[in-house]
Amino acid sequence: MPVLLSIVVPVHGVERFLPRCLDSLLDGQEATDFEVIAVDDRSPDDCGAILDAYAARDSRLRVLHLAENQGLGGARIAALPEARGEYLWCVDSDDWLPEGALTAVLAELRAERERAAAGGTPLDVLITGFSHVYPDDSTEPNPWRHLLAGSPLESAEGCTLREHRPLLRTVLSVWNKVFRRAFLDGLQVSFGRGFYEDISVTYPALLTAGRLRYLDRSCYNYRRGRPGAITATSSAKHADAFAQYDAIFAFLDRHPEADDLRTLVFERTVKQALTIYDTPGLVPAELRRDFFGRIAAHFAAHRPAGYRYPGGVGGLQYRLAARDSWRGYDELRRAARLPRTLKAGVRKGLGAR
């Protein structure tokens, strides 16, 4: 049977979480029109042995063992020549799929294959719902669902990013997006190296997809707060984001038909960079001044012609970033936090009475 879906799973240092991930993909799943390609990215623990043991029991799983560590992006790149599916889904090995999620995604893709065979427009990207899962096992539903559910993305026809621009305000990671392989190959983009390796793929895909759809169902459990995860790690590598931004704008330079979306992309990348800077514990204290300077350089390099600042506090933040005024920006952040601190103190005082 032809392979409809290839699931790529990069694996490194996650032996504690890996069995749950693999079980969610393979256990109890009778479908045979999908495959799992797991990439042992020179894992220092027993992940390689775990993968081999699962592959010996299930022919739908194939394992690649890399001689040198390549990182998330490099591991995915290594898997692509081996993937035979019409669609591609990248799943992180410390996360897992909820029960029934893979069945639901395969059903959507089968319906899309029939639609395309009947002459319909192929689906380029299927975006799925997801849940955040925290170390205490508490969960949070997709915080951006309100931007997707009930939108044109949820209709059978789907739409483009140009027809529903709020999509770019949602999470831009790769793990809740299933890509049509021929479309992805035609983009001529690649996963980056280091942190934020996936946005150099997701931005171009969303910008140029002829048809996008949203599946309003939680199909992915994304683990938050895990020690060693990018979102919980203080590292100079957070500056890797700027190389990914450069790749995104280089793609836009090659695709003038998407130039009307340049300002939207610009503001989204600036906002993400400022969010990284603002989030406690990500950028090391001794590197914060340099990181803010990188935001200013990004602003100067990629500011669209005729760009006008937004209003309100956001516009002021962008002006300070453009001027490389890191002290002024930090003062503004402290001033913005003060009213919340005072309100919390008042509530605490009233509660004590």
Side-chain angles (χ1 to χ4, degrees):
M1 177 180 292
V3 177
L4 176 62
L5 174 65
S6 295
I7 302 173
V8 172
V9 185
V11 179
H12 182 83
V14 291
E15 63 177 348
R16 176 184 169 192
F17 307 109
L18 181 58
R20 187 173 195 177
C21 176
L22 296 176
D23 287 342
S24 75
L25 298 172
L26 300 168
D27 192 32
Q29 180 59 252
E30 296 182 358
T32 58
D33 56 349
F34 77 99
E35 65 178 0
V36 179
I37 302 174
V39 184
D40 173 16
D41 190 22
R42 192 71 176 179
S43 189
D45 52 17
D46 288 333
C47 283
I50 293 171
L51 291 173
D52 288 340
Y54 270 79
R57 300 194 301 266
D58 196 320
S59 62
R60 293 172 299 185
L61 171 62
R62 289 184 288 142
V63 181
L64 303 180
H65 295 280
L66 301 186
E68 296 181 3
N69 177 259
Q70 299 294 323
L72 272 173
R76 291 178 184 137
I77 291 171
L80 288 178
E82 304 296 324
R84 300 170 297 176
E86 184 179 343
Y87 283 87
L88 183 77
W89 191 3
C90 294
V91 171
D92 290 346
S93 52
D94 55 343
D95 300 330
W96 72 101
L97 306 190
E99 184 176 354
L102 181 54
T103 298
V105 168
L106 286 170
E108 292 290 330
L109 298 182
R110 291 181 193 122
E112 287 295 340
R113 181 170 55 189
E114 293 178 4
R115 177 188 178 110
T121 302
L123 176 68
D124 291 328
V125 186
L126 177 68
I127 303 158
T128 75
F130 63 91
S131 298
H132 288 156
V133 182
Y134 293 91
D136 63 357
D137 289 330
S138 63
T139 61
E140 174 192 24
N142 176 5
W144 295 279
R145 180 179 179 272
H146 65 285
L147 297 174
L148 302 172
S151 76
L153 287 165
E154 202 180 357
S155 68
E157 294 75 21
C159 67
T160 65
L161 175 62
R162 190 172 284 103
E163 293 167 323
H164 190 66
R165 300 187 179 206
L167 172 60
L168 213 62
R169 289 159 47 196
T170 68
V171 64
L172 290 167
S173 297
V174 73
W175 38 259
N176 75 322
K177 298 169 182 69
V178 182
F179 302 95
R180 186 167 64 88
R181 179 63 186 274
F183 164 69
L184 189 63
D185 289 347
L187 293 176
Q188 296 185 319
V189 296
S190 179
F191 292 103
R193 302 287 179 167
F195 287 10
Y196 309 101
E197 79 298 327
D198 50 358
I199 61 175
S200 54
V201 170
T202 54
Y203 271 89
L206 296 180
L207 287 167
T208 57
R211 184 163 166 259
L212 299 158
R213 284 188 53 227
Y214 169 63
L215 177 59
D216 190 24
R217 170 181 177 144
S218 181
C219 291
Y220 196 94
N221 286 322
Y222 177 72
R223 196 182 297 275
R224 295 293 301 268
R226 177 180 70 83
I230 289 174
T231 53
T233 301
S234 176
S235 174
K237 290 186 177 181
H238 288 288
D240 293 347
F242 296 105
Q244 310 310 325
Y245 299 153
D246 289 343
I248 293 164
F249 283 94
F251 177 85
L252 275 172
D253 290 341
R254 299 193 302 270
H255 290 268
E257 72 276 9
D259 203 57
D260 60 310
L261 299 170
R262 185 178 291 264
T263 296
L264 186 67
V265 173
F266 173 70
E267 291 194 336
R268 183 66 173 88
T269 56
V270 172
K271 180 176 176 59
Q272 184 189 34
L274 289 174
T275 299
I276 295 169
Y277 179 83
D278 290 344
T279 302
L282 293 188
V283 181
E286 68 275 13
L287 299 178
R288 287 179 59 77
R289 174 67 190 95
D290 178 70
F291 189 93
F292 197 86
R294 296 287 298 274
I295 299 175
H298 170 69
F299 211 108
H302 300 301
R303 176 176 178 167
Y307 177 72
R308 301 180 65 178
Y309 292 99
V313 174
L316 180 55
Q317 289 177 324
Y318 282 25
R319 290 176 189 275
L320 293 170
R323 297 170 187 169
D324 195 15
S325 180
W326 68 286
R327 291 188 185 277
Y329 183 85
D330 284 354
E331 288 294 334
L332 179 65
R333 288 179 62 231
R334 280 192 287 270
R337 285 198 302 267
L338 183 60
R340 294 196 295 271
T341 303
L342 290 174
K343 288 179 181 178
V346 169
R347 286 196 297 270
K348 183 177 180 181
L350 289 174
R353 294 178 182 177

